[in-house]
Every structure is written in structure tokens, then in C-alpha cells.
Amino acid sequence: FGVQAGAQWNDALLDGLLLSLEYTRIGPFVQSHWTQVNSFTHSEQPLGHALHPNSDEWALAAGFDVTPRLRLGAKAQFQRSGVNITDADGRVIFDAGADILDGSSALQHPNRFLGGRRINRVFGTFSLTWQPVRQYFIDLALFTRTFSYVDEGRSLNDTMLWTTFRIEY
């Protein structure tokens, strides 16, 4: 099964502040099918939530309208996943139900949520959006992410800064 629940509080504590909290859980083999033709994907990407099967996520977000043309935002995402265990050649040794493109092993063993190789991820995004002219936006964002490979006792971190110009109609 897959479950998603969330709450938003508009004008929380002060005018223009939006707070939100969301939990998503996608069990093993959810959205996977016996053949890739029937999988719930497009170009090998999920059509629903960006999480793959056998994962869950807590997401916290805040947005504040400083002025009608200037917005600040922050988002934190905490994800846990159980992924397939593979050998050195990439062959699947234990299918944890984490591959959205392959559901053929769904009935071979009991499905255990977060089974397999465990990966924890933390994403943080801080953004500034400015609208100098109506419908024209300049975005500045700082994005940081950490991948923790629990079974291996190692983690990877990186940080990115980018800007975007967009027009909305």
C-alpha cells in the first residue's frame, strides 16, 4: 500500500507565513508490475510521488511572503529506503521491492518494509523568489543533500546553488 497525509497552516503565527507537514509511505512493490510495460512510470520515472517503492518520507516546509513580490522558502525532507541487494556484477541477490520497473519477485518471499540495503537521505532547500515585473520571476536556491548508507557506515554530502529565470502565464 501507499499512504500520503499532510497538513498546511496558512498565515501561521503571522500574515504571509505558510507551514506544511507531509508524510508519505510507499510499500515494497507498490506501483511495480510483472512487466515494465504496465509499471506506473513514464521514461522510467514514477508518475506519482517521486519516492520509489519501499520508502517513506517526512517533509517540512515553510514559505513567507516578505512583500507581494519577494518570497522566502525553506524545505526539509527526511527519507528512508530499503533497496535491492546486488552482487559485484549488479545481479540482484535480494529483491526488496524497491525497483519500480521490476515487480516479478513480489511473491517469492515475505515483503518487509525497509528490507534490503538501507539508505537514509536528508534534503534541505532554501529559496528566495523575486518578481521584478508581474509574471517574471528570478529564483535563487541553495540545495543540500546527504546520503547515509546505513549498512556500510558511510555518507555522502553535497551542496548546490542555482538561479533560475522564469515566466508564468
Side-chain angles (χ1 to χ4, degrees):
F1 291 96
V3 175
Q4 187 173 32
Q8 279 192 332
W9 185 10
N10 200 7
D11 289 334
L13 308 173
L14 36 112
D15 287 343
L17 179 62
L18 174 67
L19 299 177
S20 61
L21 171 69
E22 181 179 281
Y23 177 73
T24 305
R25 176 181 165 151
I26 302 174
F29 297 103
V30 173
Q31 301 173 340
S32 303
H33 294 276
W34 299 103
T35 65
Q36 286 186 12
V37 174
N38 293 335
S39 66
F40 194 64
T41 63
H42 176 72
S43 296
E44 299 184 1
Q45 296 300 312
L47 289 175
H49 197 285
L51 279 178
H52 280 262
N54 203 18
S55 301
D56 71 348
E57 173 189 69
W58 282 98
L60 307 159
F64 181 65
D65 295 324
V66 179
T67 69
R69 295 187 183 267
L70 184 64
R71 180 173 182 76
L72 296 174
K75 184 175 184 179
Q77 296 166 271
F78 307 95
Q79 298 178 350
R80 301 180 305 166
S81 295
V83 298
N84 297 342
I85 299 173
T86 57
D87 63 12
D89 296 325
R91 290 184 299 255
V92 175
I93 298 170
F94 176 77
D95 191 347
D99 187 353
I100 197 167
L101 299 175
D102 183 12
S104 61
S105 302
L107 302 175
Q108 291 183 357
H109 55 78
N111 296 327
R112 189 172 59 89
F113 182 64
L114 296 178
R117 192 170 136 228
R118 180 73 176 278
I119 300 175
N120 294 339
R121 294 178 294 276
V122 178
F123 301 108
T125 306
F126 303 95
S127 61
L128 173 72
T129 300
W130 179 46
Q131 184 180 188
V133 179
R134 185 181 300 267
Q135 297 178 321
Y136 291 82
F137 298 86
I138 298 172
D139 299 309
L140 179 65
L142 176 69
F143 180 74
T144 182
R145 61 185 178 178
T146 301
F147 292 82
S148 297
Y149 298 89
V150 176
D151 302 340
E152 300 171 18
R154 67 182 179 100
S155 62
L156 303 171
N157 306 306
D158 66 351
T159 303
M160 295 168 270
L161 177 68
W162 73 86
T163 187
T164 310
F165 175 75
R166 60 188 164 93
I167 301 171
E168 292 186 2
Y169 286 99

